[in-house]
Amino acid sequence: MSDQEWPLWEVFIRSKQGLSHKHVGSLRASDAQLAVENARDVYTRRSEGISIWVVASNNVFASDAAEADAFYDPANSKVYRHPTFYDIPDGISHM
Amino acid sequence: MIPSSHALLESNFQSKIDNEIKIEPKDWMPDDYRQTLIRQISQHAHSEIVGMLPEGNWITRAPNLRRKAVLLAKVQDEAGHGLYLYSATETLGADREQLIDDLHEGRAKYSSIFNYPTLSWADMGAIGWLVDGAAIMNQVPLCRCSYGPYARAMVRVCKEESFHQRQGFEIMMSLANGSPAQKEMAQDALNRFWWPALMMFGPNDATSKHTAQSMKWKIKRHTNDELRQQFVDATVPQAELIGLTVPDPNIVWNDETKHYETSPINWDEFWQVVNGNGPCNKERVAARKEAKENGTWVRDAAMAYAKKRSALVTE
Ligand SMILES: [Fe+2]
Ligand SMILES: [Fe+2]
Ligand SMILES: [Fe+2]
């Protein structure tokens, strides 16, 4: 009997040059190198990617979903960060 | 009266669902929702993995290199589908090894269809056409499932699934247009897989105990009978077009309802197969157990190598 389960990795794929890596899912592998190779076989069988990142899942520290309201609250009152906050008279263009 | 915090969480959760807002892994969710998803997604994962066996049976005997490469790619996709789905169960906090042990110890279910044997090459056609066809009908609405990771996995699966049905139909069509013996082989495969394919959609709505809750949670979007009807309506004309006959003497088009009417399904057979007494249940689980046991040394060696290498790096 095997004594240890392979660790879990989160997989990020860049689909083409110029786009950012995007989370696609996770998989299990014994180390980072094999995680990359497994990710190629699991997530890019139809040429969906040109670059793969893997991150050990236990290294991902996430914001708390239950605290989301309070956590993102500071931005809610700052409507002046959006261009639509400002009145610009008709006839002004290129702004 | 101030609602208890649990009731508040529960009503926030349901209103997200009602407003088509996806539930993500770290969001609060009722325990029943979590357990229902773990059960459904793991059964789906097991089905993808066990489903490789009946087709794997014919890879070495495919009639030519093209068919062999296609079947190999198809079966490899099914492995991928299983992996996406096991990953989705892990986002719910399920233990993947435990789920696999549950399958191997007979505590978990998988689609009853994979407990039927594949007796001829034509069965590769019937499976792709009917079994993947039925799976697609089930899976397309799951792309809109309320649970984000499951929905995203299904989007990926559905994209890959579309060639599976086509390659199967192509096999059936070639055989149906071939020699009388080949046509007979295709008809025989259709005869054997038709009813089990209809059973894939699960029990009749009247007897399906999870449907109402799953629809409220938007895990399911259509009832079993709705999807089954959709499948029958799509498939019967396809069979006619290639000169094959669906093995149901009572099948008839109802011009008022715009649906086909069929004979009743033999639910006794369905429950026999679900409860472990189908033609291949024991063989399938034994094959999975054996594969896992035979792979132990590979997994252990990879782990030992990883440890050794990381020790070298940190020294
Ligand atoms: Fe699949
Ligand atoms: Fe599937
Ligand atoms: Fe498939």
Side-chain angles (χ1 to χ4, degrees):
Chain A
M1 247 334 252
S2 186
D3 57 343
Q4 214 183 338
E5 205 173 350
W6 286 353
L8 191 63
W9 303 82
E10 299 302 320
V11 181
F12 299 80
I13 290 181
R14 185 201 295 286
S15 58
K16 64 177 199 196
Q17 206 63 31
L19 296 182
S20 55
H21 286 75
K22 197 177 159 207
H23 184 244
V24 292
S26 58
L27 50 72
R28 289 189 174 269
S30 54
D31 64 16
Q33 186 61 46
L34 281 165
V36 168
E37 286 178 27
N38 290 355
R40 175 201 58 192
D41 295 341
V42 177
Y43 292 107
T44 67
R45 285 196 303 287
R46 286 171 178 76
S47 317
E48 291 96 334
I50 55 157
S51 167
I52 297 173
W53 288 352
V54 296
V55 178
S57 303
N58 59 14
N59 283 337
V60 175
F61 191 84
S63 60
D64 185 347
E67 299 292 318
D69 285 350
F71 191 69
Y72 298 105
D73 176 71
N76 292 347
S77 56
K78 299 177 181 61
V79 284
Y80 44 84
R81 285 172 174 168
H82 298 275
T84 46
F85 178 73
Y86 300 92
D87 285 332
I88 300 295
D90 292 347
I92 300 287
S93 52
H94 305 298
M95 193 179 277
Chain B
M1 201 179 92
I2 302 163
S4 73
S5 69
H6 189 269
L8 192 65
L9 285 168
E10 211 88 42
S11 76
N12 284 343
F13 170 82
Q14 188 61 46
S15 79
K16 267 188 179 167
I17 300 229
D18 294 342
N19 291 305
E20 301 291 335
I21 296 170
K22 293 269 185 264
I23 307 300
E24 293 296 341
K26 296 204 167 253
D27 297 347
W28 186 89
M29 60 187 88
D31 200 48
D32 284 350
Y33 177 82
R34 186 186 298 276
Q35 296 313 325
T36 299
L37 279 169
I38 292 174
R39 191 189 67 240
Q40 178 171 334
I41 302 173
S42 63
Q43 283 180 7
H44 195 164
H46 299 329
S47 302
E48 303 286 350
I49 298 297
V50 175
M52 295 161 74
L53 297 168
E55 289 178 299
N57 180 36
W58 280 90
I59 290 173
T60 58
R61 294 175 287 163
N64 59 46
L65 189 56
R66 179 183 183 271
R67 296 281 188 221
K68 184 174 183 164
V70 167
L71 186 58
L72 202 54
K74 197 255 186 205
V75 171
Q76 193 186 5
D77 273 353
E78 306 302 0
H81 298 174
L83 294 180
Y84 309 152
L85 290 164
Y86 284 126
S87 298
T89 63
E90 289 191 285
T91 67
L92 290 158
D95 182 90
R96 185 181 190 134
E97 286 294 301
Q98 181 63 51
L99 296 176
I100 291 169
D101 287 346
D102 287 347
L103 172 69
H104 293 182
E105 299 314 319
R107 290 185 294 263
K109 300 212 181 327
Y110 54 88
S111 182
S112 57
I113 190 81
F114 301 118
N115 291 313
Y116 291 86
T118 45
L119 305 176
S120 79
W121 170 253
D123 291 5
M124 299 304 97
I127 289 180
W129 175 33
L130 303 173
V131 176
D132 288 77
I136 291 169
M137 292 252 151
N138 255 321
Q139 289 171 169
V140 167
L142 286 173
C143 296
R144 294 189 299 129
C145 166
S146 59
Y147 186 58
Y150 192 26
R152 291 191 287 273
M154 292 327 294
V155 169
R156 188 174 281 278
V157 165
C158 284
K159 269 190 205 152
E160 301 183 352
E161 210 61 80
S162 58
F163 103 78
H164 296 183
Q165 191 183 21
R166 286 178 177 217
Q167 63 86 36
F169 188 70
E170 194 192 73
I171 292 172
M172 289 303 260
M173 195 166 56
S174 305
L175 292 171
N177 291 328
S179 67
Q182 287 173 320
K183 184 170 183 178
E184 202 186 317
M185 196 162 89
Q187 183 62 54
D188 171 64
L190 172 57
N191 292 349
R192 283 180 290 108
F193 278 94
W194 174 253
W195 290 108
L198 296 193
M199 293 175 199
M200 282 175 70
F201 295 95
N204 278 139
D205 294 350
T207 54
S208 171
K209 44 182 175 156
H210 302 297
T211 296
Q213 182 61 75
S214 284
M215 302 238 330
K216 188 170 174 233
W217 279 332
K218 294 189 181 164
I219 294 173
K220 260 179 119 136
R221 300 274 179 168
H222 307 282
T223 69
N224 297 351
D225 288 335
E226 283 167 11
L227 291 167
R228 186 169 16 246
Q229 186 66 54
Q230 209 179 315
F231 176 76
V232 170
D233 292 345
T235 311
V236 172
Q238 292 169 356
E240 277 170 10
L241 202 78
I242 57 173
L244 298 179
T245 314
V246 164
D248 181 352
N250 298 316
I251 205 145
V252 60
W253 175 254
N254 181 328
D255 211 29
E256 263 163 47
T257 61
K258 303 286 174 205
H259 291 298
Y260 284 96
E261 283 166 13
T262 59
S263 301
I265 287 174
N266 180 353
W267 291 113
D268 184 50
E269 176 183 328
F270 173 77
W271 289 115
Q272 284 292 332
V273 179
V274 167
N275 291 322
N277 303 317
C280 301
N281 296 56
K282 294 197 175 61
E283 190 185 324
R284 299 293 185 234
V285 172
R288 289 311 313 153
K289 275 175 98 158
E290 199 190 314
K292 187 175 179 190
E293 279 159 24
N294 290 343
T296 306
W297 72 271
V298 179
R299 294 191 302 278
D300 286 349
M303 211 54 216
Y305 180 68
K307 274 184 193 156
K308 200 167 117 188
R309 267 220 306 208
S310 78
L312 280 177
V313 171
T314 48
E315 255 169 31

